Every structure is written in C-alpha cells, then in structure tokens.
Amino acid sequence: GNKAEAERARAFSLAKLVSREGAVVKLAELLPGMHLVAAAIHDIRGDRDEARRALDIVGQWKDLASADGALARVAEFFPGTDVIAFGLMVNSGLYANALRVVCKTRWVDVSSSSTVLVMSMGDAEDWLVLDLVSDLEIAPKAASIAGGLLDLCIHFCD
C-alpha cells in the first residue's frame, strides 16, 4: 500500500510538474504571456530548442491534442481522463508513454520465458527484423485510477 502511494506521489511531484514535459509547463506554453515564462524556464535549464518551441504559441495550440501536448499531460492527473491521454499516446505510437499514463508508475514488470528475434544483418543501416516470437508479459506495478474504478463497477454488477 505505502509503496504504491509513494510512487504515485513521486510521479506527481513539483519537479515532475515543472519539468520539460510537465503539465504545468505545457499549460503555461498555451497561455499568452505565460508562454514567455515557460520559454524562460527552458532557457535557464539550457534547453534552447524547447525555449524556441515555447515561444511559438500558435504551434503550441496546433499541438494541443498531440501525445506530447498540454491536453495529454493534464489528462493524466484526473480519474477517467487518463484514458484520453492513453488513447492519444497509443494513436501516436508512443506505447511506453501510454503504459506510463495508465499505470501511474515509473515502471512495469516485463517478463518473458522465451523470445526469438531473427534478423538479417550487415552494415548497421541494413539491419532488418525478419521475425519476432515471444511470450512477453507486461504487468503494471500499480493499477490506474480508471482501471480501479472500472474493476469496482464490474464487481458491483456481479
């Protein structure tokens, strides 16, 4: 119990919220005037590319509903809306981020008793995956809020 709560608290810490991809910074990048503050935060951290991106407020609004946009970052914080962020991430092919959103934890247990990868190799740019067979299992260390509510509803219906 306490381990899962501590992990969730770390995931929503102030440092994470104001980090490069944090929800607070993403929201600030959308607001006229506040986008200058977000750009200054990026610049102070030495991230010039992010600072330039934050200054482009029109570009920020265009990317609002992208997997890295403010909508996805804020949706992670509210029960039920984390499913929206999950959908945005999956549709963008960001599967690791989608797992992070749903799990509300930094890690998942990934296990496999047998994995076979068949590749054609030569020069590094000519590598080609021909076949992949695996019994890969992915298990989150902490369930999502939405998943927990769904399980609760299913148990009440039974």
Side-chain angles (χ1 to χ4, degrees):
N2 289 341
K3 271 183 141 179
E5 290 169 9
E7 182 57 34
R8 275 192 285 277
R10 278 193 296 275
F12 298 125
S13 69
L14 182 60
K16 292 268 187 185
L17 292 174
V18 296
S19 69
R20 175 182 176 191
E21 298 295 326
V24 172
V25 172
K26 289 291 186 180
L27 275 177
E29 290 173 356
L30 291 174
L31 303 173
M34 289 302 295
H35 74 291
L36 300 173
V37 174
I41 290 171
H42 292 309
D43 192 53
I44 288 169
R45 291 185 176 148
D47 197 344
R48 305 282 187 257
D49 292 336
E50 283 296 310
R52 274 190 227 95
R53 190 188 54 73
L55 288 173
D56 179 17
I57 195 164
V58 174
Q60 296 304 318
W61 278 97
K62 286 180 181 176
D63 292 337
L64 175 68
S66 72
D68 288 327
L71 181 63
R73 297 297 174 190
V74 173
E76 294 177 25
F77 291 100
F78 300 103
T81 61
D82 56 350
V83 175
I84 294 169
F86 175 78
L88 289 170
M89 301 281 183
V90 168
N91 285 334
S92 296
L94 303 171
Y95 303 112
N97 291 350
L99 280 174
R100 179 188 50 80
V101 167
V102 174
C103 296
K104 298 289 189 279
T105 186
R106 287 188 200 171
W107 70 88
V108 294
D109 280 340
V110 179
S111 61
S112 174
S113 61
S114 173
T115 299
V116 177
L117 176 65
V118 179
M119 293 181 64
S120 170
M121 299 174 74
D123 293 335
E125 64 268 2
D126 295 331
W127 288 10
L128 180 65
V129 175
L130 300 174
D131 193 18
L132 174 65
V133 179
S134 179
D135 64 344
L136 186 68
E137 291 183 25
I138 301 173
K141 294 301 283 181
S144 75
I145 296 170
L149 291 174
L150 182 63
D151 287 344
L152 194 60
C153 291
I154 289 171
H155 288 299
F156 279 132
C157 291
D158 285 344

